[in-house]
Amino acid sequence: MIPSGPIEIVRLAAPPRLTWRVPGSKSITNRALVLAALADGESELTGVLESDDTRHMRVALEALGIGIETKAETTIVVSGGRARLRVPDGPIFIGNSGTSVRFLAALAAFVPGPVTLVGDDAMARRPIADLIDGLRQLGVRVDCETGCPPLTVHGGHLPGGVVRMRGDRSSQYFSALMLAAGAADADVEIQVEGRLVSRPYVEITRRMVADFGGHLDAGPASFIVHATGGYRSRWYAIEPDASSASYPFALAAATGGSIAVPGLGPSALQGDYAFTRVLEQMGASIHTRANETRVDGAGRDVSLRAVDVDMHDISDTVMTLAAIAPLASGPTRIRNIANIRIKETDRLAALATELGKLGQDVTEGPDFLEIRPRPLRPALVHCYADHRIAMSFAVLGLATGGVSIDDPACVAKTYPTFWDDVRACYASIGQSAPW
């Protein structure tokens, strides 16, 4: 159950020691839905995340003619294939789901007619011009007046060819084209201009394209997706969300506790699993098995070590690190993260503002954040409708108290059961949740 806000986060009375089951990966769920939609036949997906973002993707695919049936709580069956795609009855609403609008914009190239994608007010400020330009380079007609949604794709087929896009804005533009290109008329070469941000997410896409029968060659500055006529339906298991796992992992490090997350091990698909290495630099101990990771903090009264870290490739965990940086022994510097300015909100600016309200000395640069710990001052954290801000600062509140969250409901975007898991954390030490 999601509590109504604002809520106060009370300090844990003792270090938590528990197993924390994180729900399925949003990134993998939405990629699997698209691949299964383009694959002929029935695909069974297990471990599926049920959240606002994945619901928007599912509803959109159903509006485009794809059959989706719930088989069990986290298992669905997708009846896919390009022949099933049809023009929707009207505009498709995708809320503020970035993966949905980007992946669907590319998939819509195969729909025999116009597809309009429209989001909420926040989505209307999220850039998508680079992907639109990429689709146009491949011969797809796209109408978009502002460079942000809404947009209309006039589909039918996706010709092959060469497309060049800037790499420093969003890896999802590249993933969108890679997911669709396996069903294109001819090979698609995607050239990267500059350094590709969040490359591990593109690696997720590459591996999943191969899992569904596609053929993709990856080089340092380009990707070639070979036309294979489509994808193959299959059974596919979705691993827990590594970005969401950063919260229990950080909580263990910040409190001196011990928290295990089952289903995530060293062979995880998701690049954000590397956040465990950042926590290790800060003094936590990381214990891994094939299908589980446990983080042990150094001790309740032991300060975290300060770090200077490039988080370009794991930018969805920047907020988790920033939120526990006030507990470090010195300044924490997070570098090469300009791309988080075009997420659900300008996350760099939001972090600087909210940490400042909590009494921290913060320098915000164009692509970096430096946090110099100061005594914490109680404050109400504004979430900017951003799920990761709510969950990250909840970790700080659990470790120290003095933190209130103004919009706890925003976690529904990717982790609707987050507050239930926080309650379970309180219960594990015999403490009642304050809401």
Side-chain angles (χ1 to χ4, degrees):
M1 183 181 71
I2 296 179
S4 58
I7 60 171
E8 180 184 1
I9 310 298
V10 174
R11 184 176 188 245
L12 289 167
R17 302 184 181 279
L18 73 156
T19 295
W20 188 310
R21 297 187 181 278
V22 172
S25 164
K26 178 199 75 172
S27 298
I28 296 177
T29 295
N30 272 353
R31 283 165 172 80
L33 282 166
V34 170
L35 290 165
L38 291 173
D40 289 322
E42 291 188 348
S43 294
E44 183 172 311
L45 310 180
T46 66
V48 171
L49 171 67
E50 177 63 33
S51 72
D52 285 351
D53 275 15
T54 59
R55 176 176 53 82
H56 284 306
M57 178 64 83
R58 174 173 175 166
V59 169
L61 291 173
E62 290 174 324
L64 294 172
I66 302 301
I68 304 179
E69 176 188 355
T70 299
K71 185 175 180 180
E73 185 178 4
T74 61
T75 301
I76 62 174
V77 176
V78 180
S79 300
R82 285 181 55 185
R84 296 184 62 99
L85 293 172
R86 61 174 175 81
V87 178
D89 294 334
I92 296 175
F93 181 72
I94 37 73
N96 192 23
S97 176
T99 54
S100 296
V101 72
R102 292 159 184 168
F103 295 174
L104 289 167
L107 180 143
F110 299 112
V111 178
V115 176
T116 297
L117 303 173
V118 60
D120 59 16
D121 290 342
M123 178 58 72
R125 298 187 296 271
R126 297 187 70 174
I128 197 170
D130 293 270
L131 176 58
I132 289 170
D133 181 63
L135 288 167
R136 288 170 177 166
Q137 289 179 52
L138 291 174
V140 179
R141 178 186 162 196
V142 185
D143 300 332
C144 183
E145 292 185 3
T146 66
C148 301
L151 61 95
T152 299
V153 179
H154 300 267
H157 69 111
L158 180 63
V162 178
V163 56
R164 185 171 181 82
M165 293 192 299
R166 287 181 55 168
D168 62 347
R169 297 194 192 270
S170 174
S171 66
Q172 289 179 9
Y173 302 151
F174 291 83
S175 286
L177 292 182
M178 291 162 65
L179 290 168
D185 297 344
D187 292 357
V188 173
E189 180 178 353
I190 308 169
Q191 299 177 349
V192 184
E193 185 179 298
R195 182 179 176 185
L196 179 57
V197 67
S198 300
R199 191 180 180 104
Y201 281 96
V202 176
E203 177 62 14
I204 293 174
T205 306
R206 185 194 68 78
R207 291 171 64 177
M208 291 184 67
V209 163
D211 288 342
F212 278 82
H215 181 194
L216 193 159
D217 296 326
S222 67
F223 304 91
I224 298 176
V225 187
H226 298 277
T228 58
Y231 296 109
R232 295 194 299 267
S233 56
R234 56 163 294 167
W235 177 88
Y236 193 83
I238 294 162
E239 68 188 23
D241 194 296
S243 304
S244 296
S246 72
Y247 310 121
F249 288 155
L251 180 61
T255 60
S258 177
I259 300 180
V261 173
L264 274 180
S267 62
L269 272 176
Q270 301 160 83
D272 280 357
Y273 182 77
F275 183 70
T276 57
R277 294 200 288 270
V278 177
L279 294 176
E280 194 169 35
Q281 292 177 51
M282 299 182 84
S285 299
I286 313 301
H287 306 273
T288 62
R289 294 191 294 182
N291 206 36
E292 182 182 273
T293 298
R294 189 182 83 246
V295 174
D296 293 346
R300 178 143 197 171
D301 299 318
V302 178
S303 295
L304 298 170
R305 296 183 197 135
V307 292
D308 183 335
V309 59
D310 182 333
M311 298 189 75
H312 185 78
D313 286 339
I314 55 171
S315 59
D316 273 350
T317 61
V318 166
M319 281 151 294
T320 318
L321 174 57
I324 62 172
L327 308 179
S329 57
T332 291
R333 188 175 175 89
I334 309 172
R335 296 180 281 107
N336 204 9
I337 51 172
N339 62 301
I340 73 171
R341 290 192 182 277
I342 58 170
K343 297 287 188 174
E344 282 79 348
T345 187
D346 181 339
R347 286 176 168 169
L348 259 176
L351 284 168
T353 298
E354 301 312 309
L355 285 165
K357 285 161 58 176
L358 287 159
Q360 304 308 292
D361 183 10
V362 183
T363 299
E364 174 198 346
D367 67 346
F368 74 88
L369 202 66
E370 184 169 309
I371 304 149
R372 292 170 290 279
R374 298 291 185 267
L376 277 162
R377 185 169 62 224
L380 175 66
V381 171
H382 178 50
C383 295
Y384 307 85
D386 190 327
H387 54 131
R388 300 208 185 281
I389 290 178
M391 293 185 281
S392 296
F393 281 97
V395 171
L396 179 62
L398 289 167
T400 66
V403 175
S404 297
I405 304 296
D406 77 334
D407 180 21
C410 68
V411 304
K413 179 176 170 64
T414 56
Y415 195 164
T417 58
F418 176 76
W419 300 113
D420 293 332
D421 290 337
V422 170
R423 287 189 191 93
C425 187
Y426 279 117
S428 73
I429 59 171
Q431 185 176 355
S432 297
W435 60 85

